Amino acid sequence: MQRILGIDPGTRVTGFGAVSVDEATGLVSLSQMGVLKASTKGTLAQRLFTMSRLLDEVFDEINPTEVAVEQPFVARNVKAAFAIGEARGISLIAAAARDLPVHEYPPAAIRETVAGHGGATKADVAAMVAAHLQLGGEARELDATDATAVALCHIFRSRSQLLTVIAKT
């Protein structure tokens, strides 16, 4: 069983979503999704330390075979982009400590792959995650669905590359 842990990193809220692929049937299913929250009080270093501990617990519980992480989006707020980069570092370290392959995707590529267009909103992505995984209309936190979309993006792109390789042979 292949299990991809998708991560939407943040310094206050980090989303995670684990998606399993049954290698015999190719069926994709949700294993778990949720959010990790650090206190808004305290320093950035304290929040990052909290996120590191919480993320280690998620890795230990889910036991992924691969990790997919959203790349930072740099717009006008460079300070926020740096903080998100630091949060991403925690995810990368957690994966490296377990010798797991890490795949990184930019936000627009994730939205394009999962929702059909790079300009999709968080609500669009959440709706498509629910549709792809047949989750029904239950409300979920957007950071969790974003992270699950990262995992789905990796699965869909990996399958696409495999089909391309098979078609060329």
Side-chain angles (χ1 to χ4, degrees):
M1 177 84 55
Q2 180 184 25
R3 186 171 297 116
I4 311 301
L5 175 60
I7 301 173
D8 180 16
T11 59
R12 289 188 176 89
V13 178
T14 290
F16 68 91
V19 179
S20 296
V21 181
D22 184 316
E23 294 171 0
T25 63
L27 293 176
V28 177
S29 61
L30 178 69
S31 298
Q32 188 177 349
M33 76 164 65
V35 294
L36 308 173
K37 295 183 179 181
S39 172
T40 56
K41 297 178 171 78
T43 66
L44 174 61
Q46 291 166 327
R47 288 194 311 271
L48 290 172
F49 179 70
T50 298
M51 280 298 174
S52 176
R53 285 194 353 245
L54 294 172
L55 197 55
D56 277 338
E57 290 174 11
V58 167
F59 270 83
D60 291 343
E61 183 177 334
I62 292 174
N63 195 25
T65 57
E66 296 179 62
V67 178
V69 181
E70 184 175 82
Q71 292 176 335
F73 172 74
V74 180
R76 295 180 184 155
N77 191 341
V78 175
K79 184 177 178 182
F82 276 118
I84 290 170
E86 291 165 337
R88 279 183 74 251
I90 292 168
S91 303
L92 300 176
I93 290 169
R98 292 159 178 83
D99 200 28
L100 296 172
V102 177
H103 312 277
E104 301 175 67
Y105 299 97
I110 296 164
R111 292 189 302 264
E112 172 74 31
T113 303
V114 174
H117 59 96
T121 65
K122 284 183 171 279
D124 294 336
V125 170
M128 290 307 298
V129 165
H132 287 304
L133 296 172
Q134 301 175 351
L135 301 178
E138 180 183 323
R140 292 173 182 79
E141 293 199 47
L142 295 179
D143 291 303
T145 55
D146 281 353
T148 306
V150 179
L152 286 173
C153 175
H154 174 65
I155 291 168
F156 295 161
R157 285 179 170 238
S158 295
R159 286 182 174 179
S160 173
Q161 290 172 354
L162 178 62
L163 293 174
T164 302
V165 170
I166 291 171
K168 288 181 180 178
T169 58

